[in-house]
Amino acid sequence: MKPELKGGIAAISQAGRDKGRPYVVLYELDADFVMVCDGGIRTMDRPKKKRRKHLLPTRHEMPDFASRLNGKTLRDQEIRSFLERFTNLTPTDLA
């Protein structure tokens, strides 16, 4: 069973020109879409709208994500350092 796509979960893009790029899910928009960022190209100020079916969730979650997002203390640099471990992974590495 795949992990749920919720705020703070690391996910790998499976489709589009950003295929293979790791993201952190910021929040859910509706049943089909989530907003994601990577701390680099897609910063917290400019998150990307992505379909759920185009993301492969991992089992990794940022610690204290919800409280830090609501308290506005989460920074792009922290997201980049969290996602560093996922940059060279393939989908088979995550299974």
Side-chain angles (χ1 to χ4, degrees), residues 9-60:
I9 295 286
I12 309 297
S13 174
Q14 295 283 222
R17 65 179 181 208
D18 60 350
K19 184 176 182 178
R21 179 180 290 276
Y23 289 106
V24 170
V25 176
L26 292 179
Y27 54 90
E28 304 174 52
L29 285 178
D30 56 29
D32 292 330
F33 290 97
V34 294
M35 295 301 280
V36 295
C37 75
D38 64 2
I41 295 171
R42 288 297 180 167
T43 62
M44 302 245 331
D45 296 332
R46 264 182 9 102
K48 180 175 181 66
K49 183 178 176 182
K50 193 85 173 157
R51 281 195 184 272
R52 289 175 182 268
K53 69 180 183 178
H54 294 160
L55 291 170
L56 176 66
T58 67
R59 294 181 180 91
H60 301 278

Side-chain angles (χ1 to χ4, degrees), residues 63-90:
D64 302 325
F65 177 79
S67 62
R68 296 182 67 207
L69 183 64
N70 293 336
K72 308 272 190 226
T73 60
L74 189 61
R75 298 180 318 170
D76 289 320
Q77 189 233 345
E78 294 167 308
I79 291 173
R80 281 193 307 271
S81 65
F82 172 70
L83 292 175
E84 225 170 50
R85 67 181 99 168
F86 303 108
T87 52
N88 296 321
L89 293 181
T90 62

